[in-house]
Amino acid sequence: MSTSTRPGLSPTIVELGVRSVFGRRRGVLLFVLPLVLVGLAILVRALVGVDEDAAEGTLYGLGLVVVVPLVSLLGTTGVLAPEIDDGSIAYLLSKPISRHTIVLSKLTVATGASVVFGTLPMLLAGFVLMPGDPRFVLGFALAALLAGVTYCVVFALASMLNRHAVVIGLIYVLVWEGLLGGLLSGVRWLSVTQWAAAVGGRIVDPDATQDLSLGYALVATVVVLVGGTWWAGRRLRSFNIAGEE
Amino acid sequence: MSTIRLDHVSRWYRNVVAVNDVSMTLGPGVTGLLGPNGAGKSTLIAMMSGFLAPSAGTVTLDGDPLWRNQEIYRKVGLVPEREALFDYLTGLRFVLVNAELQGLPDPGAAAQRAIAMVEMADAQDRAIATYSKGMRQRIKMAASLVHDPSVLLLDEPFNGMDPRQRMHLMQLLRTMGAEGRTVLFSSHILEEVEQVARQVEVMVAGRHAASGDFGAIRRLMTDRPNRFVLRSADDRKLAGVLLTDPSVRGVRLRAEGGIELEASDFGRFSEVLPRLARDHGVRLLEVSPTDESLESVFSYLVAR
């Protein structure tokens, strides 16, 4: 139990967060998305066999670009948005707890969901598609882990800044990462998915030339993780809750 | 014993002023924050709860600022107006969660004590989703009392309660006040405030319109000129008779029938009217106040 004002984790808030994510209807989507990914991996493997291009297309195009960010979006907004929307966050905020503790505890739940429903299915789909190439599988799993956690921070901050975080998150994932990320090469500088892919790509094939340098990808990821978490806590500290008027 | 002090506090949202230069001091005992809907009561309570920054002025609790100061929540208990609770929890778990987040040494015992205080022990193991409005209000009270706060802030706590639940909550608030806690509750209903609060602060259109014990506020409100429409068997005769009494400031015969009347002393007028009508053999058919709405009472106070 976190009672001091020093940032830490609060088991109580973590427990509430878990119940909030899975206690709602959209929690079901968290189970559906990884099933789609693994199901498609099985289908590709059955139709194409072991093929690196097909595996990469599936794990990147469906896994990293669609499933991982959506799982993070569902996890993060499930743990934050409902309480902000209905005002019940007042019960958390009216306590002598560091606002960073609230953010860290909620992010723990969201990143946990991202690992279980994003990273692990990517690992499984990787083994289905490329059973004989552990570097390939681990590279994509690491990319999924990094992207998932970073997205959680991005969407947590979005939930604090705007009441329509789910819609904004969906547009960001589908338009920026999904559509523009494939069309415009400049998007890579501001794309969480492509940063994570650059890091994972080093493990898949250390000698391959990458569009993004490993250094840039790592620094950008760390800046978003640390800066976003700090900003979200700070934002919660100045969170205005007006009454009904 | 705790004191909340507001010093020239204003709050505006872009170009809309919700609270306008309010200064008040709230000490131990029950204080009622009275005012019509939209008067700025919730905004004021949000600032006293540390949930909203004043645009100008300061809000302090025992000298410490309330904004961005989470330590104040060791002393403050809050009952928000909004209904939303963690519906998937049982009443007991909800109160326990609040005790744990307060960092109490024995959250279980504190939760049981708070639940007993609001008489919710029988329903504590049911999910909050199954609670009635009154039960929700009581479990919210238990959650806000779990750490034995010296300040209790309640935003429209009587909304939607049935008379029995209302009585029970009133008794609870009186007890809290008698124990030396600083209790503030908002309401737009005169009678609610009258029954619980000794001290009343009146808000109208964002301004602090009046302040005092209930008797003083009540007098301010009943001494104002009252307007009525009367219909009788003989309007002209009744109008003439009424004008002879000092409690009546003016009368006018309406073209469509009936009398428009302004009384300057409501208490006396209400005694005199039936007597004069009877003495002069005029049958009264209808007496209806034309400006009894709370808003007109409040705007009278502001205009003073």
Side-chain angles (χ1 to χ4, degrees):
Chain A
M1 184 184 330
S2 175
T3 60
S4 77
T5 49
R6 280 195 307 276
L9 274 187
S10 159
T12 307
I13 299 177
V14 170
E15 181 208 316
L16 285 176
V18 171
R19 297 184 71 154
S20 170
V21 170
F22 296 105
R24 288 165 215 271
R25 210 169 294 158
R26 66 180 177 201
V28 176
L29 273 177
L30 277 176
F31 291 90
V32 173
L33 286 166
L35 280 179
V36 169
L37 176 65
V38 175
L40 197 80
I42 293 170
L43 199 67
V44 168
R45 170 74 196 275
L47 294 176
V48 186
V50 176
D51 178 277
E52 190 167 330
D53 285 344
E56 199 174 313
T58 309
L59 291 181
Y60 183 83
L62 180 66
L64 269 186
V65 174
V66 180
V67 172
V68 168
L70 285 184
V71 163
S72 294
L73 181 67
L74 286 169
T76 312
T77 54
V79 94
L80 268 169
E83 285 174 16
I84 293 176
D85 274 352
D86 68 16
S88 56
I89 197 157
Y91 294 99
L92 301 186
L93 293 180
S94 61
K95 301 293 180 292
I97 314 172
S98 156
R99 276 38 188 155
H100 290 292
T101 296
I102 298 177
V103 169
L104 283 175
S105 305
K106 297 218 168 239
L107 276 178
T108 302
V109 177
T111 52
S114 148
V115 169
V116 173
F117 298 100
T119 311
L120 292 181
M122 280 287 277
L123 200 64
L124 193 60
F127 274 119
V128 169
L129 290 161
M130 298 287 285
D133 192 346
R135 287 188 76 93
F136 182 92
V137 175
L138 285 177
F140 270 100
L142 178 69
L145 178 69
L146 273 183
V149 174
T150 313
Y151 274 122
C152 286
V153 172
V154 170
F155 296 139
L157 185 59
S159 299
M160 304 278 176
L161 295 174
N162 196 290
R163 303 241 155 156
H164 308 291
V166 178
V167 178
I168 292 171
L170 271 177
I171 292 172
Y172 173 77
V173 168
L174 298 177
V175 177
W176 183 257
E177 298 284 1
L179 186 66
L180 298 180
L183 295 174
L184 308 171
S185 64
V187 167
R188 69 182 187 277
W189 299 105
L190 291 172
S191 160
V192 171
T193 297
Q194 296 196 35
W195 302 340
V199 178
R202 282 290 154 143
I203 293 172
V204 174
D205 183 359
D207 302 324
T209 44
Q210 300 264 358
D211 290 342
L212 268 180
S213 75
L214 181 65
Y216 177 84
L218 281 174
V219 169
T221 303
V222 170
V223 165
V224 170
L225 282 177
V226 176
T229 307
W230 176 81
W231 191 7
R234 195 176 160 75
R235 173 77 193 158
L236 199 58
R237 204 172 149 234
S238 312
F239 202 70
N240 282 338
I241 305 182
E244 299 282 294
E245 290 170 348
Chain B
M1 299 271 182
S2 288
T3 305
I4 294 183
R5 188 160 281 129
L6 287 85
D7 189 22
H8 294 289
V9 170
S10 298
R11 169 74 206 195
W12 50 82
Y13 302 93
R14 295 208 170 92
N15 57 353
V16 178
V17 179
V19 168
N20 188 356
D21 196 27
V22 170
S23 295
M24 60 172 80
T25 301
L26 307 167
V30 183
T31 302
L33 186 61
L34 180 66
N37 290 328
K41 303 190 299 292
S42 289
T43 304
L44 212 54
I45 290 188
M47 287 191 284
M48 292 185 206
S49 315
F51 281 170
L52 198 61
S55 306
T58 54
V59 188
T60 55
L61 170 62
D62 299 332
D64 298 321
L66 281 141
W67 176 239
R68 284 189 183 156
N69 181 6
Q70 63 245 20
E71 283 304 309
I72 58 144
Y73 298 115
R74 295 189 196 281
K75 288 190 202 168
V76 176
L78 205 63
V79 183
E81 181 181 10
R82 291 179 78 161
E83 273 276 303
L85 290 170
F86 297 88
D87 275 7
Y88 46 85
L89 300 180
T90 64
L92 174 61
R93 183 71 195 120
F94 174 63
V95 180
L96 202 54
V97 159
N98 282 272
E100 288 171 5
L101 293 175
Q102 279 290 348
L104 302 179
D106 187 352
Q112 290 296 351
R113 183 185 53 80
I115 288 173
M117 214 183 284
V118 298
E119 296 176 15
M120 280 289 286
D122 289 345
Q124 67 176 23
D125 295 321
R126 273 168 49 193
I128 292 176
T130 68
Y131 282 6
S132 71
K133 194 153 183 159
M135 292 164 91
R136 284 168 170 266
Q137 203 64 34
R138 272 148 72 188
I139 211 72
K140 274 156 72 176
M141 276 287 279
S144 70
L145 288 171
V146 77
H147 58 301
D148 198 20
S150 57
V151 175
L152 192 60
L153 302 171
L154 307 97
D155 198 358
E156 297 280 356
F158 297 105
N159 264 3
M161 283 194 157
D162 67 34
R164 200 178 53 82
Q165 293 164 342
R166 205 175 283 246
M167 293 270 285
H168 181 260
L169 181 59
M170 283 180 177
Q171 187 51 48
L172 198 57
L173 292 186
R174 279 190 213 105
T175 310
M176 299 285 139
E179 285 171 0
R181 292 176 219 263
T182 300
V183 181
L184 175 90
F185 74 97
S186 66
S187 170
H188 57 278
I189 297 168
L190 215 58
E191 285 68 26
E192 275 175 8
V193 175
E194 187 172 28
Q195 286 176 54
V196 190
R198 289 245 51 81
Q199 176 73 18
V200 181
E201 307 292 342
V202 184
M203 291 287 294
V204 184
R207 288 173 57 196
H208 191 196
S211 169
D213 69 35
F214 196 84
I217 301 286
R218 185 56 136 175
R219 271 194 302 282
L220 278 176
M221 291 188 172
T222 49
D223 283 355
R224 77 206 168 91
N226 291 265
R227 288 191 180 82
F228 299 89
V229 169
L230 313 179
R231 286 198 315 112
S232 70
D234 188 343
D235 290 339
R236 188 169 291 275
K237 184 175 177 188
L238 183 64
V241 169
L242 286 173
L243 205 50
T244 61
D245 193 87
S247 69
V248 176
R249 187 179 284 173
V251 291
R252 190 178 77 84
L253 289 169
R254 304 202 310 173
E256 65 272 32
I259 306 167
E260 261 177 39
L261 178 143
E262 186 178 307
S264 53
D265 180 342
F266 173 71
R268 181 182 163 94
F269 172 71
S270 56
E271 284 171 26
V272 156
L273 172 65
R275 185 160 46 80
L276 286 178
R278 191 191 58 220
D279 291 353
H280 291 83
V282 180
R283 190 164 174 220
L284 267 178
L285 301 174
E286 183 188 324
V287 180
S288 48
T290 55
D291 61 352
E292 261 303 287
S293 73
L294 196 61
E295 277 70 16
S296 80
V297 177
F298 287 124
S299 39
Y300 166 72
L301 281 177
V302 173
R304 277 171 53 90

